[in-house]
Amino acid sequence: MELRVVCVLIGMLLIHGSDQQSAPKKKPLIKKVSDVQSSNAIQELQKQIDDIVAEMNLLKEKQALQTVCLRGKKIHGKCFLAEPLQKSYYAASEDCISKGGTLSAPLSGLENEQLVQYVRESLGTDVRLWLGLNDMMSEGVWVDLTGSAVSFKNWDTSTRPAQPDGGNSENCAVLSVASGGKWSDESCRMERASVCEFKIV
């Protein structure tokens, strides 16, 4: 009889032990809420870090523009920086892009006059420089470097034939300081000075 009692007790212990092993443990609800809150907090911190990094990058960009403006000239929400080294249109354009700008493209008569004055002061009075304008895609349709149609034009019409007159062989615009800022078209392979423009953020 004692053996029977011992066997029954051992059997009950084995049954009770296997029930505990097979039944999954339930996590307390408080821990799940805590995990969700931790996940939300981590996401919020990551968002704050991303915002700080974006703000730092914007400040670096503004600082770089201020440096350009200190070396160059600020005109109508843009900074202009003269490059005296003569290059082809393509090389001058790539140089400006590598610095974070584009070849200058005056948007008004006043901006054109101020650009001429800046070039006169920084590069001299007999300078011809590349503008960020061309008609490479379609002859006679002048666009800026973004591909947008040019609204302001200052072609030299006092010459015969009037500018632009180069046909398919002259597709890049040049500003002449000696002619008071009048434009002409030239072969893009010619080497000219340039002015990079940077939009102020």
Side-chain angles (χ1 to χ4, degrees):
M1 172 122 156
E2 287 180 10
L3 184 59
R4 190 191 265 177
V5 171
V6 170
C7 286
V8 170
L9 284 174
I10 291 176
M12 288 174 64
L13 282 173
L14 289 173
I15 292 172
H16 181 67
S18 69
D19 283 349
Q20 282 185 343
Q21 287 178 356
S22 64
K25 293 183 179 179
K26 293 184 179 178
K27 293 183 179 178
L29 185 59
I30 294 172
K31 185 162 177 128
K32 285 185 180 180
V33 170
S34 169
D35 289 346
V36 169
Q37 288 173 338
S38 294
S39 177
N40 288 343
I42 290 171
Q43 288 176 350
E44 180 60 31
L45 284 173
Q46 186 60 50
K47 183 183 177 306
Q48 289 176 0
I49 290 169
D50 292 344
D51 290 346
I52 290 169
V53 168
E55 191 172 332
M56 281 179 43
N57 287 337
L58 186 61
L59 288 172
K60 285 180 186 177
E61 188 175 320
K62 285 182 179 180
Q63 183 180 14
L65 281 174
Q66 287 173 351
T67 302
V68 168
C69 285
L70 288 174
R71 292 187 338 207
K73 180 156 183 137
K74 183 179 174 185
I75 301 171
H76 295 288
K78 300 177 187 177
C79 288
F80 290 92
L81 183 61
E83 173 57 64
L85 184 62
Q86 296 196 2
K87 304 172 187 170
S88 72
Y89 178 87
Y90 308 106
S93 180
E94 286 298 317
D95 184 50
C96 288
I97 290 169
S98 73
K99 293 175 183 173
T102 60
L103 283 173
S104 60
L107 299 175
S108 68
L110 180 60
E111 190 174 318
N112 196 73
E113 289 171 23
Q114 290 178 326
L115 178 60
V116 169
Q117 183 60 35
Y118 168 60
V119 172
R120 213 179 256 132
E121 293 166 1
S122 57
L123 300 178
T125 58
D126 194 29
V127 176
R128 295 176 66 78
L129 64 108
W130 293 121
L131 293 175
L133 309 171
N134 68 73
D135 70 343
M136 292 178 204
M137 296 302 284
S138 180
E139 180 57 35
V141 179
W142 290 86
V143 295
D144 64 18
L145 294 176
T146 67
S148 300
V150 177
S151 56
F152 169 73
K153 297 174 184 165
N154 197 37
W155 298 111
D156 191 349
T157 56
S158 66
T159 61
R160 294 290 171 243
Q163 295 292 324
D165 68 345
N168 290 326
S169 63
E170 296 181 351
N171 294 318
C172 295
V174 172
L175 178 144
S176 168
V177 174
S179 70
K182 293 294 183 182
W183 304 353
S184 60
D185 59 341
E186 289 189 2
S187 168
C188 303
R189 291 188 177 95
M190 298 288 292
E191 293 193 343
R192 299 287 180 218
S194 58
V195 173
C196 299
E197 74 177 34
F198 305 83
K199 288 192 172 43
I200 299 172
V201 181

